[in-house]
Amino acid sequence: MRDTPTDSIDRLQLIVANEADREAIRTMLSERYDVIIAEELQAADCYLVDDRSLPAYREAIKQQKAELDPTFQPLLLLRRESATETAPRLGADNGDDDLPLIDEVVTAPIDQATLHRRLENLLVRRRQSAELTQRYADIQTRFERLFEATNDAILVLDAESLRITACNPAASDLLGYSRPTILDTEPSELLATDQPDALAALFEDTIAAGDAWTDGLTCRTNAGEERAIEISATTFETSDELSILLSIRDITERKAYQEELELKTQAIDGAPIGISISDPSQPDNPLVYVNDGYTELTGYSASEATGRNCRYLQGPGTREEPVDKLRQAVDTEEPVTVELRNYRKDGTAFWNQVTIAPVRNDGEVVNWVGFQEDVTERKEREQDLQLFRRAVENVGSAVVITDRNGDIEYVNPAFEAQTGYSRTEAAEANTNLLASGTQSDEFYEELWETILGGEAWEAELVNQRKSGELYHIEQEIAPIENSVGDITHFVAIETDVTDRQLREQQLSVLNRILRHNLRNGINVIEGNATLLSETVANEEARRFVAAIEERATALAALSEKASTVRSLFEQEPPTDARYQLAALLAAITAAFEEAHSEAAIETALAEPLAVRADSRLRVALAELLTTTLSYNDEATPAITVTATPAPNNRGEEWVEITVTDNGLGIPEHEWQAIEQGEETQLQHGSGLSLWLVHWTVSLLGGEVRIEESDIGTQTVLTLPRVPADE
């Protein structure tokens, strides 16, 4: 017999993952209810869902509850006693309308009578909620019928005095007091001994709004037992008097389960790594849960991630090998850890260390739990380390790493080639292996004092190869500190500068010869030519004397250019220099007009421009103008200098300075030697001017280009552009 007859039998949808359990419960309920079993959520008076299936149906049930509200749509959670899975969050925070997702919890196995009673409790609440929406004229009659039959504890209070005027048998069962005792007791003494203010606030809210709800109170029974209770309160009028109806439910078990579940959920949601759960019983083993760490890691929200196989994180850079390992682990039902390239929602790639493990129930895999950790920084450090190792292995300078005592721990191939010692020989020795005896003890004392003090050391010194040969090096030593700032190692970079020093000696000697010896010789020639000119009366002979004087003057100028070339290379290339081209063109124009009054010069600047250069650019440009003018045989030589941003989308980074004249231009044999980068016996220039221009512009990070024009040649200097207004 049904406790509360209705026109039709109640319809229950049974959602239980285990087929045997499902059939047993169905048999238990079929005599009393219309039990339906379907994969899709159906319209039903109550849903019986086990904790294994709940995650998959959660959203659909929430939607069903919201659509039927205010009619109560009950859900009874069948919880296995040995369950290890984490069910979804319970309570009023599971829906936008504060509708609890789970209304009752029973622990399997359960007897038929208890299950019927729990179901009737929920179904009565459902009918109660439906009946309360009926016409006001039926409220009193329906209330009387439900009052005695409901399994919820019911109290009726006078809204003005807040005295209890009625209670049902379930209230006596819950509180352990007789009806007369309940009617003679203050509500706060029964329902909220330690929280009278909270109960008073509930009454105030109910009277103000017409209804209220709370699950935050605890009552103490006549036996001294504390029970967590949920109270639904509403007002109604009888005989022009306002009353409050309290529907009280014992939620002690549900609260305990909810608190346990919330604790686990908070721990999982707050984990610093991504955690996901998939359901292999569904097609394609989709995700049914992801934590906050997962959504933060991938950029996908929980709703976007669930219902999909986790392969959606793969992309064009995902290698097949780790993916195959994951598939094999799933096929063999074994845990595995892999590292693979995944992609976030915004398309950015990251290295994901994925661990998956099966979750079993009675030996059957019911879920897969996955752990995802972003290891991009570690992978990039590993890749950077590999790149560094390859770079050090292939760098042209010798690299040595030692401990604090100078004992060698690593040398690169360039060290082997430079010193003649193999890695094996070096690893068994100290850096004094290379000592030549040329440096003093004070030199090495200063070296060690500097690097042990945490500062870098730079010096030029003489070392000795394994063969006994001495060689010159530029050495830089830097200390290496650990994470707490202690010096543990030293790295030394050594560059063999023996050849460079020899070239510098050669240049110095050549410069001395060109500037001193050659100049002295020219002075002698010029002096004797002058004396000869004064004593020779023959005009034809005087013409030869003039040629000697002219050639001596040219050689003297060449000697001075040699000095200019040396000073050019003695200075380091500029790094943060800025030369405003307006000032450059003004200086060049003034100097040119003063030195060459017979020629005309015109300059044009497209816009305010500056290049990364110093005063050497002015010297080079002056040499270029003089050289260009020397090949101009027009009656009135004219030179134009223009400065513009470089064409072909290069104007943001480069500036072109173009020199054009109205003559035949620089002879081909002069500029071909420059373009090819060397002079031969058959092809060479007549002096140093063009080489000086080429070397200067190259030193400044630019290039020289000589092009044919309609009237001869024009020279283009391309230089790095820098902001003109800083």
Side-chain angles (χ1 to χ4, degrees):
M1 293 293 293
R2 295 172 56 80
D3 294 336
T4 306
T6 61
D7 295 335
S8 61
I9 189 170
D10 290 311
R11 185 177 184 180
L12 311 180
Q13 182 172 359
L14 184 60
I15 305 172
V16 177
N18 185 277
E19 183 176 355
D21 293 343
R22 183 169 64 244
E23 189 58 34
I25 297 173
R26 179 177 185 174
T27 302
M28 189 183 299
L29 299 175
S30 294
E31 292 181 2
R32 178 173 286 201
Y33 305 104
D34 177 14
V35 181
I36 60 173
I37 297 176
E39 291 189 3
E40 299 292 333
L41 196 68
Q42 307 293 315
D45 297 307
C46 182
Y47 299 116
L48 283 76
V49 186
D50 70 348
D51 49 5
R52 186 188 306 170
S53 303
L54 182 58
Y57 289 84
R58 176 176 178 168
E59 294 300 325
I61 293 172
K62 286 173 60 178
Q63 182 177 353
Q64 180 76 351
K65 280 177 170 281
E67 290 176 354
L68 292 179
D69 187 55
T71 300
F72 173 54
Q73 175 65 65
L75 184 149
L76 176 62
L77 178 65
L78 302 172
R79 183 176 185 272
R80 292 163 295 149
E81 187 173 15
S82 60
T84 58
E85 298 86 359
T86 300
R89 187 187 299 272
L90 306 179
D93 58 352
N94 282 280
D96 296 336
D97 298 323
D98 289 340
L99 298 174
L101 178 66
I102 300 170
D103 303 291
E104 281 290 348
V105 178
V106 296
T107 302
I110 186 171
D111 61 272
Q112 184 178 33
T114 303
L115 181 58
H116 285 178
R117 183 167 62 84
R118 293 295 186 92
L119 282 172
E120 282 306 309
N121 183 24
L122 296 175
L123 292 169
V124 168
R125 287 177 58 195
R126 174 181 172 83
R127 290 192 291 274
Q128 179 185 3
S129 67
E131 289 164 358
L132 289 175
T133 61
Q134 300 301 314
R135 295 182 308 159
Y136 181 79
D138 296 333
I139 291 178
Q140 188 66 36
T141 302
R142 294 182 182 275
F143 173 76
E144 294 293 341
R145 292 170 57 191
L146 292 172
F147 190 75
E148 296 293 329
T150 183
N151 289 318
D152 287 347
I154 301 294
L155 299 179
V156 179
L157 283 69
D158 177 71
E160 183 176 353
S161 64
L162 297 180
R163 298 289 299 179
I164 301 173
T165 60
C167 68
N168 69 342
S172 295
D173 293 342
L174 172 64
L175 300 173
Y177 295 100
S178 65
R179 281 193 178 189
T181 302
I182 293 174
L183 296 175
D184 197 39
T185 306
E186 290 288 337
S188 60
E189 296 180 16
L190 294 171
L191 303 178
T193 306
D194 301 327
Q195 303 162 282
D197 293 340
L199 185 62
L202 174 67
F203 294 155
E204 291 177 3
D205 293 343
T206 304
I207 295 172
D211 56 59
W213 176 90
T214 182
D215 66 349
L217 298 178
T218 302
C219 72
R220 187 181 300 276
T221 69
N222 188 29
E225 185 180 12
E226 288 191 354
R227 309 296 294 175
I229 57 175
E230 175 185 271
I231 301 178
S232 297
T234 186
T235 60
F236 65 95
E237 292 184 10
T238 58
S239 303
D240 298 328
E241 293 182 358
L242 186 65
S243 297
I244 300 174
L245 182 141
L246 301 181
S247 178
I248 308 166
R249 289 170 292 281
D250 184 352
I251 58 170
T252 304
E253 291 185 11
R254 195 180 84 191
K255 272 280 191 180
Y257 179 67
Q258 178 178 345
E259 290 173 358
E260 177 187 358
L261 186 59
E262 286 181 347
L263 180 62
K264 293 178 180 178
T265 303
Q266 288 173 4
I268 294 175
D269 282 344
I273 62 173
I275 300 177
S276 61
I277 299 175
S278 68
D279 185 359
S281 67
Q282 298 186 47
D284 204 28
N285 192 17
L287 299 177
V288 293
Y289 167 82
V290 295
N291 73 336
D292 294 341
Y294 182 97
T295 61
E296 182 178 352
L297 174 65
T298 66
Y300 290 93
S301 66
S303 60
E304 292 171 323
T306 54
R308 306 167 67 183
N309 187 284
C310 60
R311 75 173 67 90
Y312 72 89
L313 294 176
Q314 298 174 20
T318 305
R319 293 172 47 242
E320 191 62 28
E321 180 183 356
V323 176
D324 284 341
K325 288 184 178 180
L326 289 173
R327 291 197 192 102
Q328 293 170 10
V330 172
D331 291 342
T332 58
E333 299 183 348
E334 295 293 336
V336 70
T337 299
V338 299
E339 292 180 356
L340 71 165
R341 189 181 293 274
N342 278 164
Y343 293 82
R344 297 184 175 89
K345 182 180 178 180
D346 61 8
T348 58
F350 69 100
W351 281 100
N352 193 0
Q353 180 175 286
V354 179
T355 299
I356 62 171
V359 179
R360 303 179 187 274
N361 182 31
D362 296 331
E364 177 186 359
V365 176
V366 293
N367 289 103
W368 283 89
V369 61
F371 303 93
Q372 295 83 19
E373 184 176 3
D374 188 346
V375 294
T376 303
E377 290 187 6
R378 175 172 63 77
K379 292 290 286 188
E380 289 179 347
R381 286 196 301 269
E382 291 174 355
Q383 292 172 349
D384 290 344
L385 182 58
Q386 292 176 359
L387 179 61
F388 169 77
R389 286 174 175 170
R390 289 196 295 268
V392 171
E393 286 287 300
N394 292 281
V395 73
S397 298
V399 178
V400 185
I401 298 177
T402 74
D403 62 12
R404 283 180 58 92
N405 300 318
D407 294 331
I408 298 173
E409 295 188 1
Y410 167 84
V411 297
N412 69 341
F415 176 91
E416 295 178 290
Q418 181 171 292
T419 66
Y421 290 101
S422 68
R423 289 189 177 186
T424 303
E425 292 171 320
E428 297 174 351
N430 191 277
T431 50
N432 56 24
L433 172 76
L434 304 175
S436 64
T438 305
Q439 286 73 230
S440 65
D441 292 341
E442 290 77 14
F443 175 90
Y444 290 108
E445 289 174 2
E446 182 181 355
L447 184 157
W448 281 104
E449 181 180 351
T450 300
I451 61 178
L452 287 173
E455 298 181 6
W457 165 270
E458 295 184 19
E460 288 191 9
L461 63 154
V462 179
N463 275 349
Q464 187 172 26
R465 307 187 206 274
K466 181 180 180 180
S467 62
E469 177 186 0
L470 299 180
Y471 65 103
H472 295 261
I473 63 167
E474 281 186 350
Q475 184 182 67
E476 297 181 24
I477 305 176
I480 301 175
E481 299 178 348
N482 60 17
S483 59
V484 296
D486 296 331
I487 297 174
T488 60
H489 293 80
F490 300 103
V491 58
I493 301 176
E494 301 177 350
T495 304
D496 188 342
V497 295
T498 306
D499 292 341
R500 192 192 72 188
Q501 288 197 343
L502 181 60
R503 286 195 300 272
E504 288 178 351
Q505 281 184 342
Q506 293 169 343
L507 285 174
S508 178
V509 171
L510 289 174
N511 181 66
R512 177 180 57 79
I513 292 174
L514 286 171
R515 293 204 63 199
H516 181 73
N517 298 18
L518 180 60
R519 183 61 190 176
N520 288 342
I522 291 172
N523 288 340
V524 172
I525 293 173
E526 287 178 334
N528 286 306
T530 299
L531 294 174
L532 184 62
S533 176
E534 292 173 352
T535 58
V536 174
N538 184 285
E539 287 297 327
E540 185 68 18
R542 289 176 64 87
R543 187 164 56 85
F544 290 112
V545 173
I548 293 173
E549 292 177 330
E550 180 181 349
R551 193 58 177 172
T553 301
L555 288 174
L558 181 61
S559 173
E560 291 302 318
K561 280 191 175 61
S563 175
T564 302
V565 171
R566 177 175 176 82
S567 64
L568 171 68
F569 291 104
E570 285 178 342
Q571 302 178 53
E572 293 295 326
T575 56
D576 56 355
R578 176 180 289 101
Y579 208 146
Q580 300 287 349
L581 292 192
L584 171 65
L585 297 183
I588 289 298
T589 299
F592 185 88
E593 289 177 344
E594 180 180 354
H596 307 285
S597 59
E598 77 285 2
I601 184 171
E602 181 180 350
T603 62
L605 186 63
E607 58 185 89
L609 294 172
V611 294
R612 187 173 65 242
D614 51 26
S615 59
R616 285 173 286 186
L617 177 60
R618 180 172 55 80
V619 174
L621 188 55
E623 286 289 341
L624 178 60
L625 294 179
T626 301
T627 302
T628 302
L629 183 63
S630 68
Y631 293 107
N632 193 313
D633 57 358
E634 295 293 321
T636 303
I639 294 178
T640 302
V641 183
T642 62
T644 61
N648 301 325
N649 299 320
R650 300 170 64 227
E652 294 294 326
E653 299 178 355
W654 301 94
V655 170
E656 289 189 351
I657 301 175
T658 305
V659 176
T660 309
D661 74 327
N662 62 343
L664 294 178
I666 300 172
E668 182 177 356
H669 72 275
E670 292 280 357
W671 54 265
Q672 279 188 350
I674 303 297
E675 287 185 338
Q676 294 180 6
E678 64 178 354
E679 292 190 349
T680 66
Q681 291 182 348
L682 299 178
Q683 182 172 290
H684 57 82
S686 59
L688 289 174
S689 294
L690 286 181
W691 280 111
L692 191 149
V693 174
H694 170 68
W695 290 333
T696 300
V697 173
S698 298
L699 186 70
L700 297 175
E703 63 177 2
V704 178
R705 188 173 71 253
I706 303 178
E707 303 173 339
E708 294 186 2
S709 66
D710 295 338
I711 58 174
T713 58
Q714 63 182 17
T715 306
V716 182
L717 312 183
T718 303
L719 293 155
R721 182 176 180 176
V722 295
D725 55 353
E726 291 186 5

